[in-house]
Amino acid sequence: MNVIEIKGLTKQYRKGRGIEDVSFSVREGEIFGFIGPNGAGKSTTIRTLLNFIHPTNGIASLFGKDIVSESREIRKHVGYLPSEVHYYDDMKAIDILLYSAKFYQYKNTKRIYELAERLQLDLQKKIEDLSFGNRKKVGIIQAILHEPKLLILDEPTGGLDPLMQHIFFDLLKEENEKGATIFFSSHILSEVQKMCDRVAIIKEGRLVKVERIETLTKNNLKKIHMLVDNPTEMKFDFEGIVDIQQTGKDIHLLFSGDVKKLMNHLYGLDFKDLTIEEPSLEEVFMHFYE
């Protein structure tokens, strides 16, 4: 079963870029990454899915329900964490979270205190007295408090220190193990590589690729590091070289193609040392963007 289904989703603005003809699906129980730099269309896609803004064209559904006509029913089962959280400044964190629990008719308010303890959040402080990171913690608790079937996270780790990021990822894994589907939007590729099963890459409002993480990093590209004595004499004019970077006697190549042909080309080159590795998701990502 697909929890998220998007077909030809388009949102156009008079000024600036939106999204154009975006299509993909997310399976139940999956942790799905949605990556691209700021301004690529990640937040526009999310806001359209949540019916905060209406699509210009295309259709989309969550849990098989139309995002526009059945949005009220959808929201009962979704937890959403925006990139920036905004609350009434003079309210205490505990008051906001108790109100949220009532909104979802969720009665296990003990869970608020358990989550706050794990995230080291002072529930008695007013929002105006909280740092950006602590406000983000309130948003995290609000998003996962009612144990939603779908979590939609937009740049969720902004403002969190490394320790809190680790705790946050543990919480996500626990929710996923309980059956929650997670849609994880980020421009921090190491997070996506660590957490996600599949990933969609968006560029300038258009979808570039939807693929499994392991397929992106293993099957398509190879990273080659060479140590040479005479770098000026090295020629890499064979097909498949995506990128070349040179620092003194160190040469770094990114190769896409048949590995056997690559080995044949490398065999005739004069080098002192050679390593061939799988690229990181970030290197793959930059390949698509360049």
Short mmCIF file of all heavy atoms in Angstrom, two decimals, residues 100-157:
data_model
loop_
_atom_site.label_atom_id
_atom_site.label_comp_id
_atom_site.label_asym_id
_atom_site.label_seq_id
_atom_site.Cartn_x
_atom_site.Cartn_y
_atom_site.Cartn_z
N SER A 100 -2.54 20.60 21.89
CA SER A 100 -2.36 19.76 20.71
C SER A 100 -2.91 18.35 20.95
O SER A 100 -3.56 17.77 20.07
CB SER A 100 -0.88 19.68 20.34
OG SER A 100 -0.68 18.91 19.18
N ALA A 101 -2.66 17.81 22.14
CA ALA A 101 -3.18 16.47 22.48
C ALA A 101 -4.71 16.45 22.42
O ALA A 101 -5.32 15.51 21.90
CB ALA A 101 -2.69 16.05 23.86
N LYS A 102 -5.34 17.52 22.92
CA LYS A 102 -6.81 17.60 22.86
C LYS A 102 -7.30 17.72 21.42
O LYS A 102 -8.33 17.14 21.06
CB LYS A 102 -7.29 18.81 23.69
CG LYS A 102 -7.16 18.64 25.19
CD LYS A 102 -7.68 19.87 25.93
CE LYS A 102 -7.54 19.72 27.44
NZ LYS A 102 -8.01 20.93 28.15
N PHE A 103 -6.56 18.46 20.64
CA PHE A 103 -6.94 18.64 19.23
C PHE A 103 -7.02 17.28 18.52
O PHE A 103 -7.91 17.04 17.69
CB PHE A 103 -5.90 19.54 18.54
CG PHE A 103 -6.17 19.79 17.09
CD1 PHE A 103 -7.07 20.76 16.70
CD2 PHE A 103 -5.52 19.06 16.12
CE1 PHE A 103 -7.33 21.00 15.35
CE2 PHE A 103 -5.76 19.28 14.77
CZ PHE A 103 -6.67 20.25 14.39
N TYR A 104 -6.06 16.40 18.83
CA TYR A 104 -6.04 15.07 18.21
C TYR A 104 -6.83 14.04 19.04
O TYR A 104 -6.80 12.84 18.71
CB TYR A 104 -4.59 14.58 18.06
CG TYR A 104 -3.84 15.31 16.97
CD1 TYR A 104 -2.88 16.27 17.28
CD2 TYR A 104 -4.09 15.04 15.63
CE1 TYR A 104 -2.18 16.94 16.29
CE2 TYR A 104 -3.40 15.70 14.62
CZ TYR A 104 -2.45 16.65 14.96
OH TYR A 104 -1.76 17.31 13.96
N GLN A 105 -7.49 14.49 20.12
CA GLN A 105 -8.24 13.60 21.01
C GLN A 105 -7.34 12.48 21.53
O GLN A 105 -7.74 11.32 21.63
CB GLN A 105 -9.47 13.04 20.29
CG GLN A 105 -10.46 14.13 19.89
CD GLN A 105 -11.68 13.56 19.19
OE1 GLN A 105 -11.67 12.46 18.66
NE2 GLN A 105 -12.76 14.34 19.20
N TYR A 106 -6.11 12.88 21.85
CA TYR A 106 -5.11 11.93 22.36
C TYR A 106 -5.03 12.08 23.87
O TYR A 106 -4.73 13.16 24.38
CB TYR A 106 -3.75 12.21 21.71
CG TYR A 106 -2.69 11.20 22.05
CD1 TYR A 106 -2.64 9.95 21.42
CD2 TYR A 106 -1.71 11.49 23.01
CE1 TYR A 106 -1.66 9.02 21.74
CE2 TYR A 106 -0.73 10.56 23.33
CZ TYR A 106 -0.71 9.34 22.69
OH TYR A 106 0.27 8.42 23.00
N LYS A 107 -5.32 11.02 24.60
CA LYS A 107 -5.50 11.11 26.05
C LYS A 107 -4.26 10.75 26.87
O LYS A 107 -4.22 11.01 28.07
CB LYS A 107 -6.68 10.23 26.47
CG LYS A 107 -8.00 10.69 25.87
CD LYS A 107 -9.16 9.82 26.31
CE LYS A 107 -10.47 10.31 25.68
NZ LYS A 107 -11.62 9.46 26.07
N ASN A 108 -3.24 10.15 26.24
CA ASN A 108 -2.06 9.74 26.99
C ASN A 108 -1.09 10.92 27.14
O ASN A 108 -0.03 10.97 26.54
CB ASN A 108 -1.37 8.56 26.28
CG ASN A 108 -0.15 8.06 27.03
OD1 ASN A 108 0.00 8.32 28.24
ND2 ASN A 108 0.72 7.34 26.34
N THR A 109 -1.48 11.89 27.98
CA THR A 109 -0.66 13.09 28.14
C THR A 109 0.66 12.80 28.88
O THR A 109 1.57 13.62 28.86
CB THR A 109 -1.44 14.18 28.90
OG1 THR A 109 -1.95 13.63 30.13
CG2 THR A 109 -2.60 14.69 28.06
N LYS A 110 0.75 11.64 29.51
CA LYS A 110 2.01 11.23 30.14
C LYS A 110 3.13 11.21 29.12
O LYS A 110 4.30 11.45 29.43
CB LYS A 110 1.83 9.85 30.78
CG LYS A 110 3.07 9.31 31.45
CD LYS A 110 2.83 7.90 32.01
CE LYS A 110 4.11 7.32 32.60
NZ LYS A 110 3.90 5.93 33.09
N ARG A 111 2.78 10.91 27.88
CA ARG A 111 3.77 10.83 26.80
C ARG A 111 4.46 12.19 26.58
O ARG A 111 5.62 12.23 26.18
CB ARG A 111 3.08 10.35 25.52
CG ARG A 111 3.98 10.16 24.31
CD ARG A 111 3.24 9.37 23.25
NE ARG A 111 3.71 9.63 21.90
CZ ARG A 111 4.75 9.03 21.33
NH1 ARG A 111 5.43 8.12 22.01
NH2 ARG A 111 5.10 9.32 20.09
N ILE A 112 3.77 13.29 26.82
CA ILE A 112 4.38 14.62 26.68
C ILE A 112 5.60 14.72 27.60
O ILE A 112 6.68 15.16 27.17
CB ILE A 112 3.38 15.74 27.04
CG1 ILE A 112 2.22 15.74 26.04
CG2 ILE A 112 4.08 17.11 27.06
CD1 ILE A 112 1.12 16.73 26.39
N TYR A 113 5.42 14.32 28.84
CA TYR A 113 6.50 14.45 29.82
C TYR A 113 7.65 13.48 29.52
O TYR A 113 8.82 13.81 29.71
CB TYR A 113 5.94 14.21 31.23
CG TYR A 113 4.91 15.24 31.61
CD1 TYR A 113 3.55 15.00 31.40
CD2 TYR A 113 5.28 16.46 32.17
CE1 TYR A 113 2.59 15.95 31.74
CE2 TYR A 113 4.32 17.41 32.52
CZ TYR A 113 2.99 17.15 32.29
OH TYR A 113 2.05 18.10 32.62
N GLU A 114 7.31 12.31 29.02
CA GLU A 114 8.35 11.33 28.66
C GLU A 114 9.21 11.85 27.51
O GLU A 114 10.44 11.75 27.53
CB GLU A 114 7.69 10.00 28.28
CG GLU A 114 7.02 9.29 29.44
CD GLU A 114 6.19 8.10 29.00
OE1 GLU A 114 5.95 7.97 27.77
OE2 GLU A 114 5.77 7.31 29.87
N LEU A 115 8.56 12.41 26.49
CA LEU A 115 9.29 12.94 25.34
C LEU A 115 10.11 14.17 25.73
O LEU A 115 11.25 14.34 25.29
CB LEU A 115 8.31 13.29 24.21
CG LEU A 115 7.63 12.09 23.53
CD1 LEU A 115 6.51 12.57 22.61
CD2 LEU A 115 8.65 11.29 22.72
N ALA A 116 9.54 15.03 26.57
CA ALA A 116 10.25 16.23 27.02
C ALA A 116 11.50 15.87 27.81
O ALA A 116 12.54 16.51 27.68
CB ALA A 116 9.33 17.11 27.86
N GLU A 117 11.40 14.82 28.61
CA GLU A 117 12.57 14.39 29.38
C GLU A 117 13.67 13.89 28.47
O GLU A 117 14.84 14.21 28.65
CB GLU A 117 12.16 13.29 30.37
CG GLU A 117 13.30 12.84 31.28
CD GLU A 117 12.86 11.82 32.30
OE1 GLU A 117 11.65 11.47 32.33
OE2 GLU A 117 13.72 11.35 33.07
N ARG A 118 13.30 13.13 27.45
CA ARG A 118 14.31 12.60 26.52
C ARG A 118 14.98 13.72 25.72
O ARG A 118 16.17 13.67 25.42
CB ARG A 118 13.68 11.57 25.58
CG ARG A 118 13.31 10.29 26.29
CD ARG A 118 12.76 9.26 25.34
NE ARG A 118 13.77 8.79 24.38
CZ ARG A 118 13.55 7.85 23.48
NH1 ARG A 118 12.34 7.29 23.41
NH2 ARG A 118 14.49 7.48 22.65
N LEU A 119 14.19 14.73 25.39
CA LEU A 119 14.72 15.84 24.59
C LEU A 119 15.27 16.98 25.46
O LEU A 119 15.72 18.00 24.92
CB LEU A 119 13.63 16.39 23.67
CG LEU A 119 13.22 15.46 22.51
CD1 LEU A 119 11.93 15.95 21.87
CD2 LEU A 119 14.33 15.38 21.47
N GLN A 120 15.21 16.81 26.77
CA GLN A 120 15.73 17.80 27.71
C GLN A 120 15.07 19.17 27.48
O GLN A 120 15.74 20.20 27.35
CB GLN A 120 17.26 17.90 27.59
CG GLN A 120 17.97 16.59 27.92
CD GLN A 120 19.46 16.64 27.67
OE1 GLN A 120 20.07 17.71 27.67
NE2 GLN A 120 20.07 15.48 27.46
N LEU A 121 13.75 19.15 27.46
CA LEU A 121 12.97 20.37 27.26
C LEU A 121 12.26 20.76 28.55
O LEU A 121 11.58 19.93 29.17
CB LEU A 121 11.94 20.15 26.15
CG LEU A 121 10.93 21.28 25.94
CD1 LEU A 121 11.63 22.53 25.41
CD2 LEU A 121 9.82 20.85 24.99
N ASP A 122 12.39 22.01 28.96
CA ASP A 122 11.70 22.55 30.13
C ASP A 122 10.29 22.96 29.70
O ASP A 122 10.10 23.98 29.03
CB ASP A 122 12.46 23.75 30.69
CG ASP A 122 11.86 24.28 31.99
OD1 ASP A 122 10.71 23.90 32.31
OD2 ASP A 122 12.52 25.09 32.66
N LEU A 123 9.31 22.18 30.10
CA LEU A 123 7.93 22.41 29.67
C LEU A 123 7.29 23.63 30.30
O LEU A 123 6.26 24.13 29.81
CB LEU A 123 7.07 21.17 29.99
CG LEU A 123 7.38 19.91 29.19
CD1 LEU A 123 6.63 18.72 29.78
CD2 LEU A 123 7.01 20.10 27.72
N GLN A 124 7.85 24.13 31.40
CA GLN A 124 7.25 25.25 32.10
C GLN A 124 7.70 26.61 31.54
O GLN A 124 7.19 27.64 31.97
CB GLN A 124 7.58 25.16 33.59
CG GLN A 124 7.04 23.89 34.26
CD GLN A 124 5.54 23.73 34.07
OE1 GLN A 124 4.78 24.69 34.17
NE2 GLN A 124 5.11 22.50 33.78
N LYS A 125 8.64 26.60 30.63
CA LYS A 125 9.10 27.87 30.05
C LYS A 125 8.13 28.37 28.98
O LYS A 125 7.52 27.58 28.25
CB LYS A 125 10.50 27.70 29.44
CG LYS A 125 11.62 27.74 30.46
CD LYS A 125 12.97 27.89 29.76
CE LYS A 125 14.08 28.12 30.77
NZ LYS A 125 15.39 28.33 30.09
N LYS A 126 8.02 29.68 28.89
CA LYS A 126 7.23 30.27 27.82
C LYS A 126 8.01 30.20 26.50
O LYS A 126 9.24 30.18 26.50
CB LYS A 126 6.89 31.73 28.14
CG LYS A 126 5.89 31.90 29.27
CD LYS A 126 5.50 33.36 29.43
CE LYS A 126 4.43 33.51 30.51
NZ LYS A 126 4.01 34.93 30.65
N ILE A 127 7.28 30.19 25.41
CA ILE A 127 7.89 30.10 24.08
C ILE A 127 8.89 31.24 23.85
O ILE A 127 9.98 31.04 23.30
CB ILE A 127 6.81 30.12 22.98
CG1 ILE A 127 5.94 28.86 23.09
CG2 ILE A 127 7.45 30.19 21.60
CD1 ILE A 127 6.66 27.55 22.92
N GLU A 128 8.56 32.44 24.33
CA GLU A 128 9.44 33.58 24.10
C GLU A 128 10.78 33.43 24.81
O GLU A 128 11.76 34.08 24.43
CB GLU A 128 8.76 34.88 24.56
CG GLU A 128 8.45 34.92 26.05
CD GLU A 128 7.67 36.17 26.44
OE1 GLU A 128 7.47 37.03 25.56
OE2 GLU A 128 7.25 36.27 27.61
N ASP A 129 10.84 32.55 25.81
CA ASP A 129 12.08 32.34 26.55
C ASP A 129 12.89 31.15 26.03
O ASP A 129 13.95 30.84 26.57
CB ASP A 129 11.77 32.12 28.04
CG ASP A 129 11.12 33.34 28.67
OD1 ASP A 129 11.50 34.47 28.27
OD2 ASP A 129 10.24 33.18 29.54
N LEU A 130 12.39 30.48 24.99
CA LEU A 130 13.06 29.31 24.45
C LEU A 130 13.95 29.69 23.27
O LEU A 130 13.59 30.54 22.45
CB LEU A 130 12.05 28.26 23.99
CG LEU A 130 11.17 27.61 25.07
CD1 LEU A 130 10.19 26.65 24.43
CD2 LEU A 130 12.02 26.90 26.11
N SER A 131 15.10 29.03 23.16
CA SER A 131 15.98 29.21 22.00
C SER A 131 15.33 28.56 20.78
O SER A 131 14.34 27.82 20.89
CB SER A 131 17.33 28.54 22.27
OG SER A 131 17.18 27.13 22.38
N PHE A 132 15.91 28.81 19.61
CA PHE A 132 15.39 28.21 18.37
C PHE A 132 15.40 26.69 18.47
O PHE A 132 14.44 26.01 18.08
CB PHE A 132 16.23 28.67 17.18
CG PHE A 132 15.84 28.01 15.88
CD1 PHE A 132 14.61 28.24 15.30
CD2 PHE A 132 16.73 27.15 15.24
CE1 PHE A 132 14.24 27.62 14.11
CE2 PHE A 132 16.38 26.54 14.05
CZ PHE A 132 15.14 26.77 13.49
N GLY A 133 16.49 26.13 19.03
CA GLY A 133 16.58 24.68 19.17
C GLY A 133 15.52 24.11 20.09
O GLY A 133 14.95 23.05 19.81
N ASN A 134 15.23 24.81 21.19
CA ASN A 134 14.21 24.33 22.12
C ASN A 134 12.80 24.49 21.56
O ASN A 134 11.91 23.69 21.85
CB ASN A 134 14.34 25.04 23.47
CG ASN A 134 15.45 24.46 24.32
OD1 ASN A 134 15.60 23.25 24.42
ND2 ASN A 134 16.27 25.32 24.93
N ARG A 135 12.60 25.51 20.75
CA ARG A 135 11.31 25.63 20.07
C ARG A 135 11.12 24.46 19.09
O ARG A 135 10.01 23.94 18.94
CB ARG A 135 11.21 26.96 19.31
CG ARG A 135 11.17 28.17 20.23
CD ARG A 135 10.98 29.46 19.45
NE ARG A 135 11.16 30.62 20.32
CZ ARG A 135 10.66 31.82 20.06
NH1 ARG A 135 9.97 32.02 18.95
NH2 ARG A 135 10.86 32.82 20.90
N LYS A 136 12.23 24.07 18.45
CA LYS A 136 12.16 22.92 17.53
C LYS A 136 11.80 21.65 18.31
O LYS A 136 11.06 20.81 17.81
CB LYS A 136 13.50 22.78 16.81
CG LYS A 136 13.55 21.62 15.81
CD LYS A 136 12.53 21.75 14.68
CE LYS A 136 12.86 22.84 13.70
NZ LYS A 136 13.88 22.51 12.75
N LYS A 137 12.28 21.54 19.55
CA LYS A 137 11.92 20.37 20.37
C LYS A 137 10.42 20.34 20.64
O LYS A 137 9.81 19.26 20.64
CB LYS A 137 12.69 20.41 21.70
CG LYS A 137 14.19 20.20 21.56
CD LYS A 137 14.86 20.34 22.93
CE LYS A 137 16.37 20.34 22.82
NZ LYS A 137 17.02 20.53 24.14
N VAL A 138 9.82 21.51 20.91
CA VAL A 138 8.37 21.57 21.09
C VAL A 138 7.68 21.06 19.82
O VAL A 138 6.72 20.28 19.88
CB VAL A 138 7.91 23.01 21.42
CG1 VAL A 138 6.38 23.06 21.55
CG2 VAL A 138 8.56 23.52 22.70
N GLY A 139 8.18 21.49 18.67
CA GLY A 139 7.62 21.04 17.40
C GLY A 139 7.75 19.55 17.19
O GLY A 139 6.83 18.90 16.65
N ILE A 140 8.89 18.99 17.60
CA ILE A 140 9.10 17.54 17.46
C ILE A 140 8.08 16.78 18.31
O ILE A 140 7.44 15.82 17.84
CB ILE A 140 10.54 17.16 17.89
CG1 ILE A 140 11.55 17.70 16.87
CG2 ILE A 140 10.68 15.64 18.03
CD1 ILE A 140 13.00 17.61 17.33
N ILE A 141 7.92 17.21 19.57
CA ILE A 141 6.96 16.54 20.45
C ILE A 141 5.55 16.65 19.89
O ILE A 141 4.79 15.68 19.86
CB ILE A 141 7.03 17.11 21.88
CG1 ILE A 141 8.41 16.81 22.49
CG2 ILE A 141 5.92 16.52 22.75
CD1 ILE A 141 8.65 17.48 23.83
N GLN A 142 5.20 17.84 19.42
CA GLN A 142 3.86 18.04 18.86
C GLN A 142 3.63 17.13 17.66
O GLN A 142 2.53 16.59 17.47
CB GLN A 142 3.67 19.49 18.45
CG GLN A 142 2.26 19.79 17.97
CD GLN A 142 2.08 21.24 17.57
OE1 GLN A 142 3.01 21.87 17.07
NE2 GLN A 142 0.89 21.77 17.77
N ALA A 143 4.67 16.93 16.83
CA ALA A 143 4.53 16.13 15.62
C ALA A 143 4.32 14.65 15.92
O ALA A 143 3.53 13.98 15.24
CB ALA A 143 5.75 16.32 14.73
N ILE A 144 5.03 14.13 16.92
CA ILE A 144 4.98 12.68 17.16
C ILE A 144 4.10 12.29 18.34
O ILE A 144 3.85 11.11 18.56
CB ILE A 144 6.39 12.10 17.35
CG1 ILE A 144 7.03 12.59 18.66
CG2 ILE A 144 7.28 12.44 16.16
CD1 ILE A 144 8.39 11.97 18.94
N LEU A 145 3.59 13.29 19.09
CA LEU A 145 2.85 13.03 20.33
C LEU A 145 1.69 12.06 20.13
O LEU A 145 1.53 11.11 20.89
CB LEU A 145 2.34 14.36 20.90
CG LEU A 145 1.37 14.28 22.08
CD1 LEU A 145 2.06 13.62 23.28
CD2 LEU A 145 0.85 15.66 22.44
N HIS A 146 0.87 12.28 19.11
CA HIS A 146 -0.35 11.50 18.92
C HIS A 146 -0.13 10.20 18.15
O HIS A 146 -1.07 9.56 17.71
CB HIS A 146 -1.42 12.36 18.23
CG HIS A 146 -0.99 12.92 16.90
ND1 HIS A 146 0.03 13.84 16.78
CD2 HIS A 146 -1.44 12.68 15.63
CE1 HIS A 146 0.18 14.15 15.50
NE2 HIS A 146 -0.69 13.46 14.80
N GLU A 147 1.16 9.81 18.00
CA GLU A 147 1.54 8.57 17.33
C GLU A 147 0.89 8.45 15.94
O GLU A 147 0.13 7.51 15.67
CB GLU A 147 1.17 7.37 18.21
CG GLU A 147 1.85 7.42 19.58
CD GLU A 147 1.47 6.27 20.49
OE1 GLU A 147 2.05 5.18 20.31
OE2 GLU A 147 0.58 6.47 21.34
N PRO A 148 1.21 9.40 15.06
CA PRO A 148 0.56 9.44 13.74
C PRO A 148 1.02 8.30 12.83
O PRO A 148 2.09 7.72 13.01
CB PRO A 148 1.03 10.79 13.18
CG PRO A 148 2.34 11.05 13.85
CD PRO A 148 2.19 10.49 15.23
N LYS A 149 0.19 8.01 11.84
CA LYS A 149 0.52 6.99 10.85
C LYS A 149 1.56 7.49 9.85
O LYS A 149 2.28 6.71 9.24
CB LYS A 149 -0.74 6.55 10.10
CG LYS A 149 -1.78 5.88 10.97
CD LYS A 149 -3.01 5.54 10.14
CE LYS A 149 -4.10 4.90 10.99
NZ LYS A 149 -5.33 4.62 10.17
N LEU A 150 1.59 8.82 9.66
CA LEU A 150 2.53 9.44 8.72
C LEU A 150 3.18 10.65 9.37
O LEU A 150 2.49 11.52 9.90
CB LEU A 150 1.79 9.87 7.45
CG LEU A 150 2.59 10.72 6.44
CD1 LEU A 150 3.77 9.93 5.86
CD2 LEU A 150 1.67 11.22 5.31
N LEU A 151 4.51 10.69 9.33
CA LEU A 151 5.27 11.85 9.81
C LEU A 151 5.86 12.57 8.61
O LEU A 151 6.57 11.96 7.80
CB LEU A 151 6.40 11.39 10.74
CG LEU A 151 6.10 11.32 12.23
CD1 LEU A 151 7.25 10.64 12.95
CD2 LEU A 151 5.87 12.70 12.81
N ILE A 152 5.58 13.87 8.50
CA ILE A 152 6.14 14.69 7.43
C ILE A 152 7.06 15.71 8.08
O ILE A 152 6.62 16.56 8.86
CB ILE A 152 5.03 15.37 6.61
CG1 ILE A 152 4.19 14.31 5.90
CG2 ILE A 152 5.64 16.34 5.60
CD1 ILE A 152 3.05 14.87 5.06
N LEU A 153 8.34 15.62 7.77
CA LEU A 153 9.37 16.41 8.44
C LEU A 153 10.10 17.28 7.42
O LEU A 153 10.70 16.77 6.47
CB LEU A 153 10.37 15.48 9.14
CG LEU A 153 9.76 14.36 9.99
CD1 LEU A 153 10.84 13.37 10.42
CD2 LEU A 153 9.05 14.94 11.20
N ASP A 154 10.08 18.58 7.64
CA ASP A 154 10.70 19.53 6.71
C ASP A 154 11.93 20.15 7.39
O ASP A 154 11.79 20.97 8.30
CB ASP A 154 9.69 20.62 6.33
CG ASP A 154 10.17 21.48 5.18
OD1 ASP A 154 11.28 21.22 4.65
OD2 ASP A 154 9.44 22.42 4.80
N GLU A 155 13.12 19.74 6.96
CA GLU A 155 14.39 20.21 7.57
C GLU A 155 14.31 20.09 9.09
O GLU A 155 14.44 21.08 9.82
CB GLU A 155 14.68 21.66 7.15
CG GLU A 155 14.72 21.90 5.65
CD GLU A 155 15.99 21.35 5.00
OE1 GLU A 155 16.87 20.88 5.73
OE2 GLU A 155 16.08 21.38 3.77
N PRO A 156 14.11 18.88 9.60
CA PRO A 156 13.74 18.73 11.03
C PRO A 156 14.87 18.98 12.02
O PRO A 156 14.59 19.24 13.19
CB PRO A 156 13.28 17.28 11.11
CG PRO A 156 14.02 16.58 10.01
CD PRO A 156 14.10 17.58 8.90
N THR A 157 16.13 18.89 11.61
CA THR A 157 17.21 18.97 12.61
C THR A 157 17.77 20.37 12.78
O THR A 157 18.69 20.57 13.59
CB THR A 157 18.37 18.02 12.24
OG1 THR A 157 18.88 18.39 10.95
CG2 THR A 157 17.89 16.58 12.19
#
